[in-house]
Amino acid sequence: MEYKATEISSSKMFGGYNKRYKHFSPTLGCSMNFHIYFPPSPSPSHKFPVIYWLSGLTCTDENFIIKSGAQRAASAEGVALIVPDTSPRGLNIQGEADSWDFGLGAGFYLNATQEKWKNWHMYDVVKELPELLFENFPQLDTSKASISGHSMGGHGALTIYLKNQDKYKSVSAFAPIANPINCAWGQKAFTHYLGDNKADWEEYDATSLISKFHDVSATIFIDQGEDDKFLHDQLLAHKFEEACRSFNIPLLLRLHPGYDHSYYFISTFIDDHIRHHARALKL
C-alpha cells in the first residue's frame, strides 16, 4: 500500500528539526499526526537509525517532543526520534471522551476486538508506521530501530518489543504499566477493548508475556520514580521484575527517590535512554 505523509510544521532544535506530519491511516480509519526529530545530517546520503517513542495516557504526539528535551542527546548520538499519537482521532465514537483513562488518548497499543472500538488498532501501527516512514523518508534506516515509552507507552514499548524482537534492537521504559491485567487502568481498558476473555488480555501484558517470550538477550531498561503516586496500584514494576528474575531475563530497573510520574522525571533521565538505544543501534 502506498502511504503519503504531509508536513504541517517544522522547528529547528539542537541543529536538527522537529517536523510534524499528518497522513491518513487505513489501519485506524482516520487522519493521524506524528512527529519526527531529524538530527543534523553529516551528508545528504546519510541514513539515521530510529527510536520510536510511545506516549502515555492523555498524551498526543506533541507531549514528548515539547517536554522531554530528548533532542539534545538524539542530535549528539545521530538517531532520529519517531513519535506517533496515542489513539485514533476524529471518529466521534460515543463515549470516546467520557473519561481520561479510556478512549481518546488511551489506545493502550493493542488491537481492540470489540465492535464498537474496532478502529482502536494501535498495535498495528507497529506495522503501518514503519512502512510509511520507509516510503516517505529515505533519510531514515527503519531496519535499525529501538522502542521506548512512558506509562501506557511504556506498557506498549515492552509488549511490542517482546513480541517483535526481530524488529527492535533494544527497549526501555519510564514508569511503565507493567502488569495491566492486575491494575484498574488495564482492567478498564482491556474489558472495553478486548472483552472478558482474560487470555486475550495476557497478550498485551508485559509481565504475562515474559513466560512466552523469554529468549531476550538485550537488557530491558526501566526507570521508575519512587515517589510516583501510581507505582504501587497501577504500574506494578515489582511484578515485571519478578517475572524477569524467574526467567533470567536481563533487566536494569532503576528506582529514583523523590521522582514522580511527570515529564520532569523523564527529562532528567532521557539522555540515558537515548544513549542506551544508540549503543544497541550502532552495534
Side-chain angles (χ1 to χ4, degrees):
M1 181 178 291
E2 185 177 1
Y3 297 102
K4 295 292 185 183
T6 302
E7 182 179 319
I8 55 178
S9 69
S10 178
S11 300
K12 191 169 186 178
M13 191 176 188
F14 298 118
Y17 286 89
N18 297 310
K19 291 183 177 289
R20 196 182 197 196
Y21 299 90
K22 66 178 179 180
H23 72 107
F24 181 79
S25 168
T27 296
L28 305 179
C30 61
S31 180
M32 294 291 286
N33 296 330
F34 65 96
H35 265 91
I36 303 177
Y37 175 70
F38 295 97
S41 181
S43 70
S45 61
H46 183 77
K47 288 180 174 288
F48 297 107
V50 301
I51 301 172
Y52 293 95
W53 173 269
L54 306 183
S55 297
L57 287 167
T58 75
C59 291
T60 70
D61 60 300
E62 293 186 289
N63 298 71
F64 178 77
I65 287 293
I66 294 170
K67 297 179 178 180
S68 72
Q71 295 92 333
R72 185 192 299 271
S75 181
E77 297 291 345
V79 294
L81 305 175
I82 314 297
V83 188
D85 203 347
T86 48
S87 69
R89 306 278 176 178
L91 293 168
N92 298 316
I93 305 299
Q94 184 179 8
E96 68 179 13
D98 286 355
S99 56
W100 66 272
D101 57 355
F102 177 77
L104 290 182
F108 272 84
Y109 305 99
L110 52 73
N111 283 347
T113 57
Q114 301 304 291
E115 179 64 21
K116 180 177 180 179
W117 304 102
K118 62 184 179 181
N119 293 87
W120 263 249
H121 270 214
M122 290 300 294
Y123 180 82
D124 274 352
V125 176
V126 174
K127 303 174 183 177
E128 182 181 271
L129 188 54
E131 291 179 13
L132 183 149
L133 298 175
F134 178 78
E135 292 185 10
N136 288 268
F137 305 102
Q139 64 271 55
L140 301 178
D141 184 354
T142 53
S143 69
K144 295 179 180 178
S146 291
I147 191 165
S148 185
H150 170 231
S151 194
M152 178 186 72
H155 138 78
L158 292 174
T159 57
I160 288 167
Y161 173 79
L162 288 170
K163 294 196 281 188
N164 299 274
Q165 292 180 54
D166 59 322
K167 293 181 173 66
Y168 305 98
K169 306 296 185 185
S170 55
V171 64
S172 73
F174 286 86
I177 305 174
N179 190 202
I181 64 174
N182 287 316
C183 78
W185 285 342
Q187 291 163 357
K188 178 179 181 177
F190 289 3
T191 298
H192 285 87
Y193 290 139
L194 302 172
D196 296 325
N197 187 346
K198 300 297 176 63
D200 293 338
W201 295 16
E202 291 177 356
E203 290 301 306
Y204 298 103
D205 182 290
T207 299
S208 300
L209 288 172
I210 287 294
S211 63
K212 293 181 64 175
F213 301 98
H214 52 260
D215 186 19
V216 178
S217 56
T219 298
I220 297 173
F221 179 21
I222 295 176
D223 273 329
Q224 173 65 60
E226 289 188 336
D227 282 20
D228 188 327
K229 65 181 180 180
F230 303 118
L231 174 57
H232 300 294
D233 295 332
Q234 300 282 17
L235 306 178
L236 307 179
H238 65 287
K239 292 290 189 181
F240 185 73
E241 184 180 28
E242 290 168 4
C244 288
R245 188 181 300 118
S246 296
F247 291 95
N248 295 315
I249 290 175
L251 170 67
L252 174 59
L253 172 59
R254 304 194 308 187
L255 300 175
H256 301 280
Y259 285 93
D260 58 16
H261 198 69
S262 71
Y263 267 86
Y264 298 118
F265 166 53
I266 294 171
S267 62
T268 301
F269 299 105
I270 189 64
D271 287 9
D272 293 344
H273 288 246
I274 300 299
R275 287 190 288 263
H276 168 77
H277 295 303
R279 286 192 295 269
L281 292 167
K282 293 173 182 178
L283 287 177

